[in-house]
């Protein structure tokens, strides 16, 4: 394998090389994409800035998903460039986090996330393999590292009990709830705990002491984000095919920007935003008669009638 040739191609695409142990003390800029390469694979790393949303009218989306979509597009470009230069490559079949731990660049925390120096847990991973198949690393390499401070802050902060002293209970994780979220969700306690979350949760990352210095470094919400996840604007773009829909697809990707599912989260977030519920009610009523999707029409009417019955909107 001509590693020098591959490195030149990666740097031509403006990716930055990292050392195996990431020993640099300088903070790694969030707008850079990094790579680690050997004879078996290329590991791509996209750091991102954590976002905290306190306004309940702004739907929370973990910025991991925006970083992942950016990195996925980069991976496609890298694969195309490799193939153009006669280098055979494949999609990696193993688990990305296990790979990062096994080659010594990351450590596992109690919240099951991988921590990298100067990045913390705020990054997305992609892998391109030079082998058609890959032998999965031993599960023992994926156990919680002694690097974890065992402070149990993530256990105490988790609103659903997904993190425990004995391990991770996937079915209790908010992110798993979002995968399983179906209309209408009759579990009112679960709906309240989802709050304004559209994708992701971020609670266990924010409370982790190993991320504290990164959070202090800068955590402002851009105007683009406020527009992007304003519940009324988000709902509108799920209900009707407006010109803004392509904006969501670009930054979230079609895999995550699924109108039916995202609208379910947006409507639930609206219901939890009591002080602005009438405004949200007016938004969905405005677009109710323009809906072509039968599922979305049923979903809107369910919430509209529910809110009317509980409030004096008429």
């Amino acid at each position: 394998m001509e590693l020098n040739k591959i490195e030149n191609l990666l740097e031509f695409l403006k990716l930055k090389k990292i050392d195996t142990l990431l020993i640099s003390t300088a903070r790694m800029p969030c707008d850079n994409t990094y790579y680690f390469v050997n004879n078996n694979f290329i590991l791509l790393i996209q750091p991102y800035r954590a976002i905290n949303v306190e306004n309940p009218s702004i739907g929370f989306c973990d910025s991991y998903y925006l970083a992942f979509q950016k990195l996925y597009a980069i991976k496609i470009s890298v694969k195309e460039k490799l193939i153009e230069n006669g280098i055979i490559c494949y999609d990696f079949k193993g688990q990305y986090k296990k790979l990062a731990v096994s080659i010594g660049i990351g450590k596992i925390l109690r919240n099951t996330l991988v921590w990298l120096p100067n990045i913390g847990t705020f990054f997305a991973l992609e892998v391109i393999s030079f082998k058609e198949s890959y032998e999965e690393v031993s599960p023992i390499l994926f156990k919680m590292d002694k690097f974890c401070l065992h402070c149990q802050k993530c256990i105490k902060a988790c609103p659903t009990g997904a993190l425990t002293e004995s391990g991770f209970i996937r079915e209790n994780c908010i992110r798993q709830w979002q995968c399983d979220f179906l209309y209408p969700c009759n579990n009112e306690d679960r709906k309240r705990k989802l709050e304004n979350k559209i994708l992701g949760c971020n609670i266990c990352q924010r409370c982790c002491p190993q991320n504290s210095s990164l959070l202090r470094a800068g955590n402002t919400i851009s105007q683009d984000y406020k527009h992007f996840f304003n519940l009324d604007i988000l709902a509108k773009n799920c209900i009707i095919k407006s010109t803004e829909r392509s904006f969501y697809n670009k930054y979230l990707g079609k895999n995550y920007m699924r109108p039916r599912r995202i609208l379910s989260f947006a409507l639930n977030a609206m219901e939890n935003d009591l002080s602005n519920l009438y405004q949200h009610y007016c938004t969905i009523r405005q677009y109710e008669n323009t809906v072509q999707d039968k599922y979305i029409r049923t979903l809107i009417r369910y919430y509209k009638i529910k809110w009317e019955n509980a409030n004096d909107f008429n």
Side-chain angles (χ1 to χ4, degrees), residues 64-268:
Y64 164 82
Y65 295 97
L66 283 70
F68 173 80
Q69 182 63 19
K70 175 183 176 181
L71 189 61
Y72 179 76
I74 290 172
K75 183 187 82 166
I76 299 302
S77 297
V78 171
K79 285 185 67 178
E80 289 175 351
K81 185 61 66 174
L82 290 171
I83 292 169
E84 284 176 15
N85 285 270
I87 300 170
I88 300 173
C89 56
Y90 307 90
D91 287 328
F92 182 72
K93 303 299 183 183
Q95 294 187 32
Y96 296 177
K97 291 196 293 185
K98 282 188 177 182
L99 181 64
V101 173
S102 69
I103 62 176
I105 70 168
K107 300 180 184 296
I108 288 289
L109 303 180
R110 185 181 290 276
N111 57 17
T112 76
L113 299 175
V114 175
W115 179 92
L116 300 181
N118 307 312
I119 297 177
T121 60
F122 302 117
F123 62 91
L125 292 177
E126 274 287 5
V127 184
I128 299 170
S129 178
F130 298 125
K131 294 183 177 181
E132 191 168 4
S133 60
Y134 179 79
E135 184 178 348
E136 188 67 87
V137 296
S138 170
I140 196 170
L141 292 172
F142 203 49
K143 287 186 177 179
M144 183 172 53
D145 196 276
K146 62 183 180 181
F147 174 79
C148 178
L149 298 177
H150 304 283
C151 62
Q152 299 193 352
K153 287 185 177 181
C154 58
I155 293 177
K156 296 172 183 175
C158 180
T160 60
L163 297 173
T164 69
E165 290 187 30
S166 56
F168 173 58
I169 305 174
R170 181 176 294 278
E171 58 267 27
N172 287 347
C173 180
I174 282 179
R175 183 65 189 100
Q176 188 62 39
W177 289 359
Q178 290 169 338
C179 291
D180 301 336
F181 197 88
L182 298 174
Y183 155 78
C185 178
N186 294 317
N187 188 322
E188 294 299 321
D189 180 61
R190 179 174 291 191
K191 290 180 69 175
R192 282 191 297 272
K193 288 178 178 177
L194 277 169
E195 297 178 323
N196 65 332
K197 297 175 181 64
I198 305 299
L199 278 173
C201 173
N202 208 33
I203 291 173
C204 63
Q205 293 192 87
R206 295 194 60 80
C207 70
C208 179
Q210 300 292 18
N211 280 330
S212 59
S213 63
L214 296 160
L215 290 169
R216 286 196 300 268
N219 195 29
T220 57
I221 304 176
S222 70
Q223 291 299 320
D224 286 343
Y225 188 99
K226 290 180 180 180
H227 170 81
F228 196 22
F229 292 104
N230 175 293
L231 292 179
D232 295 314
I233 295 175
L234 179 61
K236 170 194 168 185
N237 282 275
C238 290
I239 294 169
I240 62 175
K241 291 184 178 180
S242 70
T243 55
E244 295 168 313
R245 180 79 68 83
S246 60
F247 180 78
Y248 287 87
N249 287 338
K250 176 182 177 181
Y251 287 97
L252 273 181
K254 292 184 179 180
N255 182 48
Y256 292 118
M257 184 53 197
R258 300 180 185 182
R260 292 179 177 183
R261 176 162 291 189
I262 295 295
L263 180 60
S264 295
F265 300 141
L267 288 167
N268 180 69

